[in-house]
Amino acid sequence: MTNILNSIYLDKNIPIPLYYQVKKQILLLIENAQLKEGDLLPPENDLCEALNVSRPTIRQAFSELVNEGYLTRYKGKGTFVSKPRVQDKFFSKLETFHEEMEAQGLNPVTKVLKLEKINGPHEANEKLSIPISGPLLYLSRVRSVDKVPLVYVETFLPYDLCSKLMSVDFCENSLYDSLEKVYQRRVDRVLREFMAVNAHQREAELLQISRNKAIILVKTVAFSGNTAFEFSIARYRGDMNLFNVELFR
């Protein structure tokens, strides 16, 4: 704790709020691995005394870092550095889950829950531009990194166009790679929409979080040329995923 206290310096002569200076310097200590997952931060009173600031200043800095997932508070125990979030370019780059995770040096694992022929839901048929009565190939998976589940995803494909995929082992094979290998269909464009929702019981169990905890729901329609080949509904843990988007003007 002493080293951490000595690592934070506040400049009271600049127009940057003190709480924000505290927040940014704690964040820098985390990014530089001077503070690691599970480390206990000094009590608020100790920080107030060492930095000569008010308790609301420290509390606001801590609260923002907790809300952003960098710190975790445990009642009666203190404030700890959280497990790092997995950075994801899901909204700015079209690549598979395994490619994204392996690029970060992580160990991705996929568990297949179901792979079957179904009828409905109607939303999937509409998104795939096939008749409401048309059969679907349904694939549900949980994707994890280092034994921590990150996303539960349900995927729907036109069965008449993709029936050969029923024999693919999706624990080991990528959906997009399989489409390209089996059907010579390359996914080259996707449409995505996302929203924050609360986890239902089933989602909470699969993602190993508490019911009603915030998750990120993402709906995707993937195209090969002008043909919609995939409609998926993915539910990402809000506390373990950090999405990056790079925009150009």
Side-chain angles (χ1 to χ4, degrees):
M1 290 186 184
T2 303
N3 291 336
I4 296 171
L5 294 174
N6 292 338
S7 298
I8 299 177
Y9 170 76
L10 303 183
D11 189 342
K12 298 182 180 181
N13 297 314
I14 59 177
I16 298 177
L18 293 176
Y19 89 87
Y20 190 74
Q21 292 187 51
V22 174
K23 172 187 173 182
K24 294 299 288 185
Q25 292 196 47
I26 291 176
L27 184 57
L28 186 62
L29 292 172
I30 294 172
E31 291 174 345
N32 291 338
Q34 291 175 261
L35 281 173
K36 300 182 177 64
E37 177 189 347
D39 283 351
L40 173 65
L41 270 69
E44 292 181 3
N45 287 339
D46 289 3
L47 278 167
C48 292
E49 183 178 343
L51 301 176
N52 192 26
V53 296
S54 67
R55 190 159 185 176
T57 296
I58 301 300
R59 186 172 293 143
Q60 184 171 357
F62 275 21
S63 293
E64 291 197 3
L65 289 167
V66 168
N67 291 337
E68 293 170 16
Y70 295 102
L71 302 179
T72 302
R73 281 196 182 106
Y74 295 101
K75 190 173 182 179
K77 295 183 178 180
T79 303
F80 297 80
V81 178
S82 303
K83 184 178 180 68
R85 296 190 180 198
V86 175
Q87 297 194 38
D88 200 321
K89 295 185 178 179
F90 188 67
F91 295 112
S92 59
K93 189 175 182 180
L94 183 54
E95 60 184 1
T96 69
F97 177 82
H98 276 248
E99 288 171 341
E100 286 187 79
M101 298 303 105
E102 288 174 349
Q104 298 181 51
L106 301 173
N107 181 33
V109 174
T110 296
K111 179 181 180 181
V112 174
L113 304 177
K114 286 187 178 181
L115 176 59
E116 60 186 2
K117 178 182 179 181
I118 66 169
N119 290 311
H122 293 167
E123 180 185 14
N125 293 68
E126 291 172 358
K127 295 290 187 181
L128 295 170
S129 299
I130 62 176
I132 294 299
S133 59
L136 299 169
L137 186 153
Y138 173 69
L139 169 66
S140 63
R141 294 164 289 174
V142 174
R143 325 295 295 272
S144 303
V145 167
D146 296 330
K147 298 183 180 180
V148 178
L150 297 184
V151 56
Y152 162 49
V153 56
E154 295 180 285
T155 299
F156 306 88
L157 303 104
Y159 183 83
D160 291 342
L161 297 179
C162 303
S163 59
K164 292 180 182 178
L165 298 183
M166 291 288 289
S167 61
V168 174
D169 179 2
F170 286 107
C171 291
E172 301 294 335
N173 295 281
S174 156
L175 173 62
Y176 288 178
D177 288 347
S178 298
L179 273 171
E180 192 164 352
K181 181 178 180 180
V182 177
Y183 288 102
Q184 292 74 55
R185 285 285 191 171
R186 183 174 184 272
V187 171
D188 48 30
R189 177 172 65 96
V190 301
L191 297 176
R192 286 191 172 121
E193 61 180 52
F194 62 98
M195 66 191 78
V197 299
N198 293 328
H200 297 305
Q201 185 64 38
R202 171 67 171 166
E203 300 159 348
E205 290 173 356
L206 291 172
L207 294 174
Q208 297 178 13
I209 57 176
S210 58
R211 185 178 179 181
N212 291 326
K213 191 166 185 178
I215 58 175
I216 304 164
L217 187 144
V218 182
K219 293 184 178 182
T220 299
V221 181
F223 296 84
S224 176
N226 294 321
T227 303
F229 260 81
E230 175 210 12
F231 171 62
S232 69
I233 304 173
R235 298 159 179 88
Y236 286 82
R237 282 179 58 155
D239 62 337
M240 290 298 299
N241 290 281
L242 175 64
F243 295 101
N244 294 303
V245 179
E246 184 174 8
L247 303 176
F248 296 90
R249 185 176 183 181

